[in-house]
């Protein structure tokens, strides 16, 4: 059995679906193949057998500056299914003490200063020790940022004179919450990329899916693809790509024997899944040699159904400690549409979860409840109706030192073979926004070769306030598209 299509897209996550929607909207026929029985990738959802509630792989956060992700949701009609936390950015907990981080009406990067001044856990001296990092981050251009990629974040912060207390209270949590790595193992370049973005905007809001996460993009993307004559094949792993002549892929063979002929191919899969799929023409290239550097970052998400309401908070985070398991927690009863009157359903993440691999599910739940009680003491005395532990192999690729330089561009040496995924060169941290942007960059490449050039992928929002003035004086702004000299 064989078929022909304009574009074959391998993968069923956000990057793949974003590329498929963009191409379908422009009259390009796609066939999307996904090796598992479901779409959504690392942002999928499913129904809990005991409660009947639809839960997600793990809680995911959106930001109102996610221009590409929110653009996709507007196209699919689900942008109204986000609950935005506008009264504050985040509540941080340390040994029972709370610090509320808000964005004040001050020009960036001064917007968070009042919150830091009110934090009881750090002194003014500690905060001032971060001034060199703040100034350096504002002036970073892409070449300078990639130079920092050679350093781990802890070493860089120490070299910049940041106090141990501020590193522990602020930076260690940031590294774990955003890049999912301890500071000593995290690329300084990757961390500064995110920091520069955060200090350049004073009105960043955090948002959460008011519906099951996958419902934000999976049903709508499927409708768009199929309404334009495209197809989605589930449970369809690729066995091999067909490459009868050097420099061009003509299609692929699915594991069940079906053949797909295609003019263009987009591989939108995780690095560890891409390695065995690479055509032989790419096996001895920097791309192939760099793939092992993108190690999967595992995490554990615990869902706990309590018998009463514990808090009105939507989300909170715990500061770093060598004894911590969980770092971010979410009460879904205050987030999901129609759940407001229900007892608390708390999802909590153990990030970079190697330290918990030997723990049983019961031990993880018990430890999670103890840590939740630091923020909501009633959690320790409340009956648990149901609990479930999800062990996930990969949240995002580990942003180890050196990986920012190795993130591949969309193009490959094979003229009709392109890459997408949150780990590729998007000039963004690995995230849903990075995934969507990568899919749109891949769609742009296909459309350009079809003679229908289009601007699809949006750059990150421009800086504001004083940050805009300072960055305007830097040597060179970040480019919308990765440079053509970037490594394949």
């Amino acid at each position: 059995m064989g078929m022909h299509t304009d574009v074959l897209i391998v993968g069923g996550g956000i990057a793949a679906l974003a590329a498929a929607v963009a191409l379908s909207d422009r009259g390009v026929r796609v066939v999307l193949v996904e090796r598992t029985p479901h779409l959504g990738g690392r942002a999928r959802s499913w129904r809990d057998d005991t409660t009947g509630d639809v839960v997600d792989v793990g809680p995911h956060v959106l930001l109102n500056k996610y221009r590409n992700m929110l653009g996709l949701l507007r196209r699919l009609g689900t942008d109204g299914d986000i609950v935005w936390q506008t009264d504050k950015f985040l509540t941080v907990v340390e040994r029972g003490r709370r610090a509320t981080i808000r964005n004040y009406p001050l020009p960036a990067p001064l917007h968070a200063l009042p919150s830091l001044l009110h934090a009881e856990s750090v002194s003014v001296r500690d905060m001032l020790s971060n001034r060199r990092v703040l100034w350096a981050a504002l002036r970073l251009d892409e070449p300078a940022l990639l130079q920092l990629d050679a350093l781990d974040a802890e070493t860089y912060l120490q070299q910049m004179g940041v106090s141990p207390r501020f590193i522990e209270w602020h930076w260690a949590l940031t590294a774990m919450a955003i890049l999912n790595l301890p500071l000593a193992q995290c690329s300084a370049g990757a961390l500064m990329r995110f920091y520069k973005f955060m200090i350049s905007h004073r009105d960043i809001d955090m948002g959460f899916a008011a519906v099951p996460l996958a419902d934000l993009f999976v049903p709508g993307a499927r409708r768009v693809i199929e309404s334009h004559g495209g197809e989605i094949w589930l449970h369809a792993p690729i066995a091999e790509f067909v490459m009868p002549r050097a420099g061009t892929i003509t299609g692929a063979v699915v594991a069940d024997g079906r053949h797909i002929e295609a003019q263009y191919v987009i591989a939108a899969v995780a690095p560890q899944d891409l390695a065995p799929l690479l055509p032989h023409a790419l096996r001895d290239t920097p791309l192939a040699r760099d793939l092992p550097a993108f190690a999967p970052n595992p995490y554990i998400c615990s869902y706990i159904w309590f018998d009463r309401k514990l808090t009105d908070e939507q989300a909170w985070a715990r500061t770093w400690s060598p004894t911590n398991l969980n770092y971010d927690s979410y009460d879904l009863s205050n987030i999901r549409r129609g759940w407001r009157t229900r007892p608390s359903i708390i999802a909590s993440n153990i990030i970079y979860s190697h330290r918990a691999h030997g723990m049983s599910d019961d031990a993880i739940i018990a430890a999670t409840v103890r840590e939740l009680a630091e923020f909501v003491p009633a959690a320790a005395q409340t009956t648990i109706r149901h609990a479930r532990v999800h062990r996930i192999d990969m949240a995002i690729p580990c942003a180890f030192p050196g990986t920012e330089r190795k993130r591949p561009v969309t193009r490959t040496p094979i003229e009709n073979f392109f890459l997408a995924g949150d780990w590729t060169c998007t000039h963004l941290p690995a995230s849903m926004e990075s995934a969507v942007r990568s899919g749109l960059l891949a769609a742009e490449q296909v459309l350009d070769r079809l003679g229908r050039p289009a601007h699809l992928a949006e750059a990150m929002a421009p800086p504001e306030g004083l940050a805009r003035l300072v960055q305007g004086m830097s040597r060179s702004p970040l480019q919308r598209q990765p440079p053509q000299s970037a490594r394949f």
Side-chain angles (χ1 to χ4, degrees), residues 46 78 81 85 94 120 136 223 251 260 307 312 319 335 367 421 437 439 464 475:
W46 69 88
T78 56
D81 292 330
Q85 184 169 262
E94 182 182 42
E120 298 178 5
R223 284 194 298 271
I260 305 172
D307 70 347
D312 291 327
T319 56
I335 295 174
R437 177 169 161 78
E464 304 164 358
R475 292 193 302 273

Side-chain angles (χ1 to χ4, degrees), residues 148-168:
L148 287 181
D149 184 45
L151 281 177
D152 70 82
E154 185 174 62
T155 298
Y156 172 68
L157 295 169
Q158 290 170 346
Q159 291 178 353
M160 295 293 281
V162 183
S163 72
R165 180 58 184 143
F166 198 76
I167 289 175
E168 178 185 53

Side-chain angles (χ1 to χ4, degrees), residues 306-319:
F306 291 93
D307 70 347
R308 63 189 175 98
K309 181 80 89 174
L310 297 177
T311 177
D312 291 327
E313 293 275 355
Q314 294 174 326
W316 58 96
R318 300 173 72 237
T319 56

Side-chain angles (χ1 to χ4, degrees), residues 58-241:
H60 285 57
V61 173
L62 295 93
L63 298 178
N64 62 340
K65 300 296 184 181
Y66 277 6
R67 305 169 84 181
N68 295 285
M69 180 68 181
L70 294 178
L72 174 63
L73 299 188
R74 283 192 295 272
R75 167 63 185 91
L76 302 178
T78 56
D79 54 311
D81 292 330
I82 305 297
V83 176
W84 295 105
Q85 184 169 262
T86 56
D87 61 326
K88 60 190 165 191
F89 184 72
L90 183 64
T91 299
V92 178
V93 183
E94 182 182 42
R95 293 188 289 273
R97 291 187 295 184
R98 303 185 184 189
T100 301
I101 309 301
R102 291 187 171 89
N103 293 317
Y104 285 82
L106 295 171
L110 305 177
H111 53 287
L113 183 59
S115 293
L116 296 176
L117 291 173
H118 285 95
E120 298 178 5
S121 299
V122 288
S123 68
V124 173
R125 182 185 296 271
D126 290 323
M127 285 181 277
L128 289 176
S129 73
N130 195 63
R131 63 189 183 279
R132 285 182 61 201
V133 175
L134 175 69
W135 178 247
L138 286 173
R139 302 179 68 233
L140 275 178
D141 61 7
E142 188 69 6
L145 189 147
L146 292 180
Q147 287 183 357
L148 287 181
D149 184 45
L151 281 177
D152 70 82
E154 185 174 62
T155 298
Y156 172 68
L157 295 169
Q158 290 170 346
Q159 291 178 353
M160 295 293 281
V162 183
S163 72
R165 180 58 184 143
F166 198 76
I167 289 175
E168 178 185 53
W169 184 81
H170 173 75
W171 284 110
L173 170 60
T174 302
M176 289 296 288
I178 303 303
L179 297 173
N180 298 176
L181 282 176
L183 268 177
Q185 299 179 53
C186 177
S187 159
L191 187 60
M192 288 301 104
R193 186 186 295 283
F194 175 76
Y195 183 57
K196 177 177 179 176
F197 169 73
M198 290 298 294
I199 62 178
S200 299
H201 305 89
R202 72 168 183 82
D203 58 346
I204 297 179
D205 292 330
M206 190 182 298
F208 318 97
V211 297
L213 183 63
D215 286 2
L216 288 178
F217 60 94
V218 169
R222 179 189 285 274
R223 284 194 298 271
V224 172
I225 295 166
E226 294 179 343
S227 68
H228 288 83
E231 296 186 25
I232 295 174
W233 296 5
L234 299 178
H235 238 319
I238 293 294
E240 63 176 342
F241 288 110

